[in-house]
Amino acid sequence: MAPVPENPLVTGVLLAAGGGRRLGGRPKALLTYRGRPLIEHAIRSLRDGGCDRIVVVLGAAAEEVRARSGLAGCAVTVNPEWRGGMGGSLRAGLAALAGTGADAALVLLVDQPGIGAEAVSRLRAAATSRASLAAASYDGTRGHPVLLGADHWAGVSTDATGDQGARAYLREHREALTLVECADVAEAYDIDTPEDLGRLRGP
């Protein structure tokens, strides 16, 4: 058995492939938040929250997102099947970690700007080994981001279909799951509809 690293290598995996179907086809990654593309806010949250590396999964308008966003220092992978839902993007993100030496993936969704570096940092601290499995919780309800130790990647990838992501896997392995309360430092709302766009106009 390989020794457990004292400080596991945690890679942030940002799922940013969505096409914003209910937003009139506007790619979520390029929505404006605090004067910059939403994807840059999410990258900063992962970086400032302590992730050692960052993998960004693009899909809708991938070339436009590359051209208009600051992705320096990130590894970028494109999910050609992004229309099939978040599951395919999660599989693509985890596949991109093969051979990198990462011990865990910290998965964040691009359309949740209420989740910042402090919540990421709390999840990052839950990484103690390649067997770690954790999720942020909000008043006891499981949400994002999630932390997936490398031992879980194959199982998560098998279960990730459609828009399910890691949900089914986390439910099946809830006894091994650590919930990390983040309601005091983050808000887990999604930007899905035109009505949600008002949340991007905050300070």
Side-chain angles (χ1 to χ4, degrees), residues 105-129:
L106 198 156
V107 183
L108 182 66
L109 309 182
V110 77
D111 66 346
Q112 293 191 322
I115 298 174
E118 199 159 355
V120 169
S121 179
R122 289 188 184 181
L123 262 292
R124 170 68 176 80
T128 57
S129 76

Side-chain angles (χ1 to χ4, degrees), residues 3-202:
V4 176
E6 289 186 13
N7 186 27
L9 179 65
V10 177
T11 296
V13 176
L14 177 59
L15 304 186
R21 178 175 51 83
R22 286 182 286 174
L23 293 169
R26 299 165 63 186
K28 290 185 176 183
L30 291 179
L31 295 175
T32 301
Y33 181 62
R34 297 178 178 174
R36 298 297 303 165
L38 190 56
I39 191 172
E40 293 183 9
H41 169 74
I43 289 170
R44 186 167 56 250
S45 294
L46 289 170
R47 187 169 286 138
D48 292 351
C51 290
D52 301 287
R53 300 170 183 161
I54 299 173
V55 169
V56 176
V57 182
L58 300 180
E63 292 309 311
E64 182 182 2
V65 175
R66 285 181 189 264
R68 293 178 52 192
S69 305
L71 306 181
C74 300
V76 177
T77 188
V78 177
N79 172 23
E81 300 177 358
W82 60 268
R83 290 180 181 83
M86 181 173 56
S89 292
L90 178 57
R91 292 196 305 273
L94 294 178
L97 301 183
T100 65
D103 297 301
L106 198 156
V107 183
L108 182 66
L109 309 182
V110 77
D111 66 346
Q112 293 191 322
I115 298 174
E118 199 159 355
V120 169
S121 179
R122 289 188 184 181
L123 262 292
R124 170 68 176 80
T128 57
S129 76
R130 295 171 71 87
S132 295
L133 189 65
S137 67
Y138 299 87
D139 296 323
T141 300
R142 176 172 54 79
H144 286 91
V146 298
L147 179 89
L148 307 171
D151 291 352
H152 300 282
W153 296 349
V156 169
S157 295
T158 297
D159 286 356
T161 58
D163 273 323
Q164 289 300 302
R167 187 184 311 163
Y169 187 89
L170 296 179
R171 186 168 56 245
E172 293 164 8
H173 296 81
R174 55 184 172 271
E175 292 183 2
L177 181 68
T178 298
L179 292 180
V180 180
E181 185 58 46
C182 291
D184 59 321
V185 296
E187 296 181 273
Y189 58 82
D190 301 326
I191 304 298
D192 282 332
T193 67
E195 291 73 26
D196 296 331
L197 293 175
R199 291 182 176 272
L200 299 179
R201 304 189 189 106

